Amino acid sequence: AQKITQTQPGMFVQEKEAVTLDCTYDTSDPSYGLFWYKQPSSGEMIFLIYQGSYDQQNATEGRYSLNFQKARKSANLVISASQLGDSAMYFCAMREGGYGNKLVFGAGTILRVKS
Amino acid sequence: DSGVTQTPKHLITATGQRVTLRCSPRSGDLSVYWYQQSLDQGLQFLIQYYNGEERAKGNILERFSAQQFPDLHSELNLSSLELGDSALYFCASSSQPGGQFMNTEAFFGQGTRLTVV
């Protein structure tokens, strides 16, 4: 069974500093994808970044990067140069191969950026 | 704007009632996913449709049902509502059915917040 664990219920970071949000996953499927979504207080789910299990390089998208450590089954999100607008809930999610392949989400981490 | 439209945005109804949530996927997307987000269960996958056919099923209650129509919009029907059904219901769409398309991003709508009183 799939499982995504986000151990940090809440995090604070100073504006302009970097922050790492932790995510570990559990799967026996060699083919899977890892996603990070941002959910601001308005409620919508915003896709941030994707990492495939066979990707050799860590994914980067602007200020977002994914620290993918396959052997440790971790996929931590790094946000550089935090901005006040980064304050939100962040979800790690995984998709395995197979028919349909839904996204399975972690419990989320609330990030608050301080000025 | 993700391009996925959900209506209504808010819905308040009484226990025992039935409601229908509607989702219009992004133009060209054939896959529609429904998720439920509640405080105690987090984000849970309910069901997926691809081009009108049910593709995958998650933790969807028997009181809930969904369908995808020929124009690709989808409806989630919730019946015999209970207080515990109060949640934010998301629809997401993607261009691919899944399977080997691992990196297919799912675009989420803004959600329908259902309150059962």
Side-chain angles (χ1 to χ4, degrees):
Chain A
Q2 305 177 30
K3 187 176 179 182
I4 296 284
T5 303
Q6 294 181 253
T7 57
Q8 306 153 316
M11 291 279 287
F12 282 96
V13 64
Q14 196 67 37
E15 195 177 8
K16 298 181 185 176
E17 292 185 351
V19 62
T20 298
L21 306 183
D22 294 341
C23 172
T24 58
Y25 59 92
D26 184 24
T27 180
S28 56
D29 194 327
S31 179
Y32 53 89
L34 296 157
F35 299 76
W36 278 91
Y37 281 85
K38 172 184 178 182
Q39 186 179 36
S41 57
S42 51
E44 72 266 34
M45 296 287 286
I46 302 167
F47 166 76
L48 296 178
I49 196 166
Y50 165 83
Q51 179 85 43
S53 60
Y54 297 117
D55 292 344
Q56 296 298 312
Q57 305 278 349
N58 284 347
T60 60
E61 289 285 349
R63 294 186 299 110
Y64 304 108
S65 61
L66 202 151
N67 184 2
F68 181 47
Q69 298 187 41
K70 194 170 182 177
R72 297 180 61 185
K73 292 188 175 179
S74 76
N76 299 338
L77 177 70
V78 180
I79 304 174
S80 63
S82 296
Q83 302 171 357
L84 295 178
D86 293 334
S87 293
M89 176 75 93
Y90 289 80
F91 290 98
C92 179
M94 180 171 66
R95 169 182 283 152
E96 289 179 337
Y99 199 72
N101 66 13
K102 61 186 181 294
L103 285 170
V104 175
F105 287 85
T109 296
I110 298 175
L111 177 67
R112 290 288 177 253
V113 180
K114 300 184 291 183
S115 58
Chain B
D1 184 359
S2 67
V4 179
T5 303
Q6 288 188 249
T7 56
K9 286 189 171 42
H10 301 276
L11 196 50
I12 302 175
T13 190
T15 54
Q17 294 298 305
R18 172 189 168 94
V19 297
T20 297
L21 313 184
R22 183 189 168 99
C23 169
S24 294
R26 288 192 322 154
S27 177
D29 282 359
L30 300 178
S31 256
V32 169
Y33 304 78
W34 286 97
Y35 291 85
Q36 179 195 57
Q37 185 178 27
S38 62
L39 285 174
D40 55 344
Q41 297 287 331
L43 266 160
Q44 298 279 326
F45 168 72
L46 296 178
I47 197 164
Q48 178 202 4
Y49 280 83
Y50 178 75
N51 203 19
E53 292 188 3
E54 183 182 304
R55 190 83 177 186
K57 214 165 186 176
N59 300 323
I60 187 166
L61 300 171
E62 286 191 10
R63 301 183 285 108
F64 296 1
S65 65
Q67 55 184 323
Q68 186 179 28
F69 294 87
D71 67 352
L72 300 177
H73 91 271
S74 178
E75 292 180 357
L76 179 67
N77 300 297
L78 315 176
S79 61
S80 303
L81 284 166
E82 302 174 0
L83 296 178
D85 298 327
S86 295
L88 186 55
Y89 290 84
F90 282 108
C91 167
S93 77
S94 68
S95 57
Q96 302 294 344
Q100 72 274 32
F101 300 101
M102 299 301 301
N103 65 338
T104 303
E105 175 188 341
F107 293 87
F108 281 74
Q110 300 230 338
T112 293
R113 185 168 297 279
L114 173 67
T115 303
V116 182
V117 297

